[in-house]
Amino acid sequence: MLTGLEGEAAKIGSGIVFSGGKDVVKKAMEGVMDKAGHVESKLSEHFDIVGQEIIIKCPERIQEYSLALTPKESSFLHLNSVVNFDYGRVNKATVTQLRGYVPMSQAVVIKDSGFAIDFKQLRKGETYLVDVEYGIEYDNFTEALVTLESAEETPNEDNQQYWMLAQLKQLDALKGKYGRIDLRDLDFSVNVGIAQDIKTALPSQFRNGLELLNSAVKKSGRGETWNVARDFTSLQQEKYGPETLKLIRELVKVFEPETFKDYVRLGNNEFRYWGCRKGASIYDIPFVSWPRTMVVTSRTSLGFDKPTAKGTLIYEKKGFTKRISSIFDSKSQS
């Protein structure tokens, strides 16, 4: 029997679940469709449009509108020196002759209000690709279009798994005459809880000293950094002596992205690992940056052909706790 997000994934796979307010989705897409519509309308006066698509580059908040077109037989391109597309500032605009894939840089002029194409540079009988990039101004654009869900599965001795599910909302609201609409490199972040594993892996005397020091910092204020360092060394003197601060430096390195990534992996290829960062700190101690969670970000792409992506993030907690414990292995625990 399927439960939780696994069950939801099964529903989505059968085409049952597509949630999210249609009005919200349409509003988010309004600006994207509006610019594409203006460009398409003006080009269609002189060209037959043989293909078009809109790609949303999520991290950069960019929409890329691409059209493949050929001049109409009835069109007199030479009579129109320059045609303006004044529909807002563009990041870039290019025209490419598809035969030989030849860039037509001399045919495009970038303006403050948009761009222009010099039709005199184009010829009948050729097929051209027009690419235009606009910035997306709608706040929370991807949140309006996509539902992101994650949940912890029951842990085992070796690892903790997190279900991940991303789906486009209201597919019918996204459908239009612009062919494909794809969302590329959509960020999906999961808060991986590591606080309990840190507590388990640290020697009890070392951890107790940290907790006592943390209480002292909360009472005295974070500004007394050197007093805090002195008190910590004193608390740990009997067990670790002059090695205390060295141990802290080694522990802090474990939570750096380049190290922690060795303890997470993805269960399938619908998501790909992108990076990680520290979450909120466990302690208020200024020089002890140990997080309660690590925020692990993966990326996926969605579109009409692939409206959902599901997968599993696996946190190798056994290996992670062994890494922490190994820092203390060479020290006497007696």
Side-chain angles (χ1 to χ4, degrees):
M1 179 177 180
L2 298 177
T3 60
L5 285 180
E6 191 174 6
E8 290 299 303
K11 290 181 184 179
I12 291 169
S14 65
I16 295 174
V17 176
F18 288 105
S19 61
K22 185 180 294 187
D23 290 342
V24 174
V25 175
K26 284 185 174 180
K27 184 177 180 181
M29 287 298 297
E30 193 174 71
V32 172
M33 297 295 195
D34 185 59
K35 287 185 173 68
H38 285 305
V39 172
E40 186 265 347
S41 178
K42 183 162 286 191
L43 284 172
S44 64
E45 295 176 13
H46 301 279
F47 297 87
D48 290 318
I49 297 175
V50 296
Q52 54 188 320
E53 68 177 5
I54 295 175
I55 294 174
I56 307 297
K57 298 179 180 179
C58 296
E60 300 90 348
R61 291 177 58 84
I62 288 173
Q63 69 174 85
E64 183 179 273
Y65 181 38
S66 299
L67 305 95
L69 37 80
T70 58
K72 292 180 177 179
E73 286 299 323
S74 59
S75 175
F76 296 95
L77 298 183
H78 64 281
L79 298 179
N80 297 276
S81 177
V82 174
V83 175
N84 294 303
F85 297 83
D86 295 326
Y87 308 123
R89 184 182 294 273
V90 298
N91 294 334
K92 75 172 186 179
T94 61
V95 175
T96 304
Q97 181 179 299
L98 286 183
R99 184 163 59 95
Y101 211 76
V102 179
M104 307 290 292
S105 56
Q106 71 277 15
V108 182
V109 178
I110 304 298
K111 306 163 53 183
D112 289 341
S113 58
F115 68 100
I117 297 178
D118 184 353
F119 278 14
K120 290 190 299 183
Q121 303 294 329
L122 310 182
R123 298 291 180 267
K124 293 181 181 180
E126 297 288 352
T127 300
Y128 297 95
L129 179 66
V130 177
D131 289 310
V132 187
E133 280 192 3
Y134 290 101
I136 295 174
E137 300 173 357
Y138 187 89
D139 292 336
N140 303 317
F141 180 80
T142 54
E143 291 86 343
L145 300 184
V146 181
T147 295
L148 303 176
E149 298 181 20
S150 65
E152 295 183 32
E153 292 293 294
T154 302
N156 59 44
E157 182 181 351
D158 294 334
N159 60 60
Q160 170 70 65
Q161 297 188 21
Y162 297 81
W163 275 97
M164 301 188 297
L165 180 65
Q167 67 177 47
L168 286 175
K169 302 175 183 177
Q170 300 292 349
L171 280 185
D172 58 332
L174 294 175
K175 290 178 181 177
K177 62 180 180 179
Y178 300 110
R180 295 175 48 134
I181 299 179
D182 292 341
L183 276 68
R184 301 283 177 85
D185 296 330
L186 176 71
D187 284 348
F188 194 115
S189 295
V190 174
N191 288 301
V192 175
I194 60 173
Q196 184 58 45
D197 297 327
I198 297 172
K199 183 177 180 180
T200 300
L202 288 178
S204 58
Q205 185 172 349
F206 191 84
R207 186 182 70 249
N208 291 340
L210 284 175
E211 291 172 354
L212 286 170
L213 185 59
N214 190 53
S215 297
V217 170
K218 289 180 178 178
K219 294 177 182 178
S220 62
R222 292 172 60 89
E224 300 180 16
T225 304
W226 292 109
N227 290 336
V228 167
R230 179 201 60 205
D231 293 344
F232 181 72
T233 303
S234 176
L235 283 168
Q236 297 297 314
Q237 188 69 35
E238 294 183 6
K239 196 69 176 181
Y240 301 104
E243 298 293 320
T244 297
L245 293 180
K246 179 182 177 181
L247 288 170
I248 289 176
R249 285 193 292 269
E250 291 182 23
L251 283 167
V252 167
K253 292 178 183 177
V254 177
F255 310 109
E256 294 300 322
E258 285 301 308
T259 302
F260 188 78
K261 73 177 183 180
D262 293 338
Y263 303 101
V264 292
R265 58 187 172 88
L266 295 169
N268 63 27
N269 60 4
E270 292 192 35
F271 292 86
R272 66 185 186 281
Y273 176 84
W274 181 252
C276 64
R277 59 182 173 81
K278 299 175 187 176
S281 179
I282 294 177
Y283 299 113
D284 285 337
I285 307 169
F287 51 86
V288 180
S289 181
W290 298 351
R292 295 181 183 278
T293 65
M294 291 294 291
V295 182
V296 179
T297 300
S298 56
R299 286 183 170 179
T300 190
S301 296
L302 300 175
F304 287 135
D305 297 335
K306 185 184 168 228
T308 69
K310 54 185 181 292
T312 305
L313 175 69
I314 302 169
Y315 158 50
E316 304 285 359
K317 66 176 185 176
K318 185 175 182 179
F320 180 69
T321 53
K322 280 186 175 180
R323 175 65 179 271
I324 294 177
S325 298
S326 69
I327 295 174
F328 296 85
D329 286 346
S330 62
K331 311 300 176 186
S332 172
Q333 302 297 307
S334 59

